[in-house]
Amino acid sequence: MPYSYDPQNIFAKILRGEIPNKTVLETPHSLAFHDIAPQAPVHVLVIPKGPYVTYDHFANEASAEEIVDYTRAIGEVCKMLGVTPGAGDGGYRLIANSGDAGVQEVPHLHVHILGGRVIGRMVSRSA
Ligand code: AMP
């Protein structure tokens, strides 16, 4: 079944400027902002500006320009946040919850960048 994008989701409203956000970085095709309910000392979300629901949706249907912009934006945000292991920083976890099994709450692609402490196990053993 093809993806259907809900333009009333909260990140679409952020992109339209209808609700505020704490912006970390804005690029032509991407926006990074602080999570409203941080689960670690560093907790930033990076979203593409285009109407993509999940990572696979984006990976399969976005333009090469959007994909490069989004990927570079994630890399730049990691540097800005001071979490890149290559620079001697403490590291981070990148998460893209997708669909029901991934327990995705907001149906607009976003990656979480979590750091500033040891994040713990990759997944819990149970739901
Ligand atoms: P997910 O479960 O991966 O869909 O995560 C959605 C994330 O969006 C959660 O971590 C929320 O805290 C975050 N969130 C929801 N509303 C906002 C908002 N207005 N600004 C920033 N983050 C938000």
Side-chain angles (χ1 to χ4, degrees), residues 12-20:
K13 291 179 180 176
I14 285 177
L15 285 168
R16 289 195 296 267
E18 294 168 9
I19 59 173

Side-chain angles (χ1 to χ4, degrees), residues 13-121:
K13 291 179 180 176
I14 285 177
L15 285 168
R16 289 195 296 267
E18 294 168 9
I19 59 173
N21 74 92
K22 287 171 63 182
T23 298
V24 174
L25 177 70
E26 181 167 10
T27 67
H29 294 291
S30 308
L31 180 69
F33 52 93
H34 290 280
D35 195 291
I36 202 167
Q39 295 182 43
V42 171
H43 190 171
V44 167
L45 305 174
V46 190
I47 67 174
K49 291 182 177 176
Y52 302 104
V53 180
T54 60
Y55 195 88
D56 61 281
H57 187 200
F58 179 75
N60 287 317
E61 297 189 19
S63 68
E65 191 177 321
E66 290 175 296
I67 290 171
V68 169
D69 181 290
Y70 187 58
T71 305
R72 294 283 193 213
I74 293 167
E76 181 62 25
V77 168
C78 288
K79 281 196 271 186
M80 292 171 72
L81 297 172
V83 296
T84 54
D89 300 325
Y92 60 92
R93 180 162 299 147
L94 190 69
I95 299 173
N97 296 323
S98 304
D100 293 340
V103 196
Q104 180 179 11
E105 291 174 9
V106 180
H108 182 114
L109 168 60
H110 51 285
V111 293
H112 299 251
I113 300 172
L114 293 151
R117 66 168 170 82
V118 175
I119 302 301
R121 293 187 61 83

